[in-house]
Amino acid sequence: MEELKLIGFNYISNIDHADILFPFKRLKRTSEIIEDNGLSVVPESISPYSQLPYNDFVFQILPMQYYQNMVFETLKNDDFVLVYLESWQFTDIKKYQFKVPFYRSFYLGKKMEDKLEAFLSWINEKELATSRMKDYIF
């Protein structure tokens, strides 16, 4: 924990990185944020609408309307929605020769940028409160 604090982390998320079978897991979430030695442990957001976690793969693959419905449903039941994205998803994997599983290779790069821009515009239209958490790439 001390090492994380020294490099500037102020939170940890217990995101469970999805594999292709994640829709078959029964998921649970409490909205309690736990403080541990000066770091906030933020729970993974789970949509009661779909039982899908709000992780990078779910945002990448789901149609926007379905994702928006998940956000609304979760906000009705919980305090917040943690939307987790990874920076590599905004990279042109064909140009830079990233090796990713076939099911993670769809809608990356510019398509992902456009989708995020549309999502952020929707958030602004609905006047939803937002806050960004800083992550580091190792």
Side-chain angles (χ1 to χ4, degrees):
M1 291 282 191
E2 287 303 317
E3 291 86 7
L4 289 174
K5 285 170 49 179
L6 285 173
I7 59 174
F9 271 93
N10 55 13
Y11 83 101
I12 301 172
S13 173
N14 58 354
I15 288 289
D16 178 17
H17 289 283
D19 60 27
I20 200 159
L21 299 174
F22 77 89
F24 302 107
K25 290 200 270 183
R26 189 73 185 151
L27 303 167
K28 293 180 186 170
R29 174 193 168 228
T30 62
S31 59
E32 184 180 350
I33 298 175
I34 301 164
E35 198 68 31
D36 183 4
N37 196 19
L39 292 176
S40 298
V41 180
V42 181
E44 181 178 55
S45 291
I46 306 292
S47 170
Y49 182 77
S50 64
Q51 275 295 297
L52 293 176
Y54 283 89
N55 64 18
D56 55 330
F57 183 62
V58 171
F59 182 83
Q60 176 184 333
I61 220 72
L62 283 184
M64 183 59 80
Q65 186 62 52
Y66 194 80
Y67 197 81
Q68 290 168 346
N69 290 344
M70 283 173 53
V71 169
F72 268 144
E73 191 64 29
T74 305
L75 288 174
K76 281 193 251 176
N77 292 293
D78 288 305
D79 299 334
F80 66 92
V81 172
L82 175 65
V83 178
Y84 192 87
L85 300 174
E86 301 218 31
S87 57
W88 66 265
Q89 292 175 294
F90 299 93
T91 303
D92 183 350
I93 62 168
K94 291 180 180 145
K95 180 178 177 183
Y96 294 103
Q97 301 297 310
F98 275 87
K99 289 188 178 184
V100 296
F102 78 94
Y103 60 91
R104 294 201 63 126
S105 64
F106 302 106
Y107 312 117
L108 296 177
K110 179 71 172 120
K111 290 179 183 174
M112 190 69 161
E113 285 180 38
D114 293 344
K115 189 170 189 176
L116 179 59
E117 187 175 326
F119 181 65
L120 294 175
S121 296
W122 175 80
I123 285 174
N124 285 334
E125 288 168 15
K126 300 298 179 192
E127 298 181 349
L128 301 175
T130 60
S131 176
R132 183 179 175 271
M133 293 184 188
K134 184 167 63 170
D135 244 338
Y136 292 90
I137 301 171
F138 294 100

